[in-house]
């Protein structure tokens, strides 16, 4: 059995209401959150805890360090693209009676756009 994660629009900063749409991951999102901006999530509003955390220079540096590490580990390395390709293939091969290949391809492309800043 393969479990395929689905409906990740909020995880990639895009919501039907446009909360964080177009921000993607990385520097822009971190800066938006540090300045009290949206960064995605429900409604794209600010988060007091996040603002306080990032206002502290030590914590902000730690956050940026981890963001850089994860960006390298997940995106620069190609891991995220490999996982997306695998899930796309799984859907195309095993769920073609439930969802068309065009839809799978379109949705995969929508997700993949956030892999590149």
């Amino acid at each position: 059995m393969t479990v395929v994660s689905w409906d990740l629009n909020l995880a990639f900063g895009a919501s039907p209401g446009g909360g964080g749409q177009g921000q993607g991951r990385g520097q822009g999102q971190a800066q938006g959150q540090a300045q009290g901006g949206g960064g995605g999530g429900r409604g794209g509003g600010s988060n007091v805890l996040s603002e306080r955390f990032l206002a502290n220079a030590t914590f902000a540096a730690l956050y940026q360090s981890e963001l850089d590490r994860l960006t390298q580990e997940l995106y620069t390395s190609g891991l995220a693209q490999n996982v997306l390709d695998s899930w796309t293939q799984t859907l195309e091969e095993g769920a073609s009676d439930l969802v068309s290949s065009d839809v799978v391809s379109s949705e995969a492309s929508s997700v993949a756009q956030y892999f590149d800043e």
Side-chain angles (χ1 to χ4, degrees), residues 3-110:
V3 176
V4 178
S5 182
W6 196 260
D7 201 18
L8 294 173
N9 59 335
L10 296 178
F12 289 96
S15 65
Q21 194 158 1
Q23 277 191 338
R25 61 157 174 87
Q27 302 288 342
Q29 187 176 18
Q31 289 169 356
Q33 289 171 344
Q35 296 167 359
R42 297 175 193 232
S46 63
N47 179 302
V48 174
L49 182 58
S50 175
E51 290 172 10
R52 289 180 182 173
F53 182 81
L54 293 171
N56 178 294
T58 302
F59 289 128
L62 178 61
Y63 172 85
Q64 188 61 50
S65 174
E66 282 301 300
L67 180 62
D68 293 344
R69 183 186 68 76
L70 287 170
T71 297
Q72 170 60 38
E73 184 178 318
L74 299 173
Y75 298 104
T76 307
S77 71
L79 177 61
Q81 186 64 55
N82 290 341
V83 169
L84 180 60
D85 291 345
S86 175
W87 288 352
T88 299
Q89 181 179 358
T90 297
L91 286 170
E92 288 175 343
E93 292 175 357
S96 61
D97 58 329
L98 300 173
V99 60
S100 75
S101 181
D102 290 341
V103 169
V104 172
S105 178
S106 174
E107 296 291 325
S109 293
S110 293

